[in-house]
Amino acid sequence: MKKTYKIEVDCANCANKMEEAAQKTQGVKNAVVNFMTLKMIVEFEDGVDPKEVMNEVVKNCKIVEDDCEIFL
């Protein structure tokens, strides 16, 4: 399952950091952050709860970029 989320991030480098953090989150099959459109597309592994996984994605992204926002 894929879902798209609106994000708020200051620069392309920060978006890259968020993408890497999201991809390393358990339950995420793949994640792509597009700085130009300010969107994150997350593909979830089968059988996971997207809401729970996204809560972890937000935590992981805040570690690498504390002023980023992901609108769930």
Side-chain angles (χ1 to χ4, degrees):
M1 168 192 316
K2 282 186 183 179
K3 288 195 167 204
T4 302
Y5 300 91
K6 186 176 189 290
I7 62 169
E8 198 171 288
V9 64
D10 297 332
C11 67
N13 187 43
C14 301
N16 249 2
K17 290 180 185 177
M18 289 176 63
E19 181 175 288
E20 289 173 7
Q23 289 175 345
K24 293 178 182 175
T25 304
Q26 188 170 0
V28 174
K29 192 174 197 177
N30 191 31
V32 177
V33 173
N34 186 319
F35 175 66
M36 296 301 289
T37 62
L38 294 177
K39 293 188 178 179
M40 176 186 283
I41 300 169
V42 180
E43 184 177 358
F44 300 96
E45 293 177 358
D46 294 335
V48 299
D49 180 3
K51 288 182 182 182
E52 287 181 20
V53 173
M54 282 309 295
N55 286 333
E56 291 303 311
V57 168
V58 170
K59 287 180 193 174
N60 291 339
C61 286
K62 292 279 187 185
I63 291 170
V64 295
E65 193 55 46
D66 63 346
D67 66 343
C68 70
E69 291 292 329
I70 302 174
F71 302 97
L72 303 179

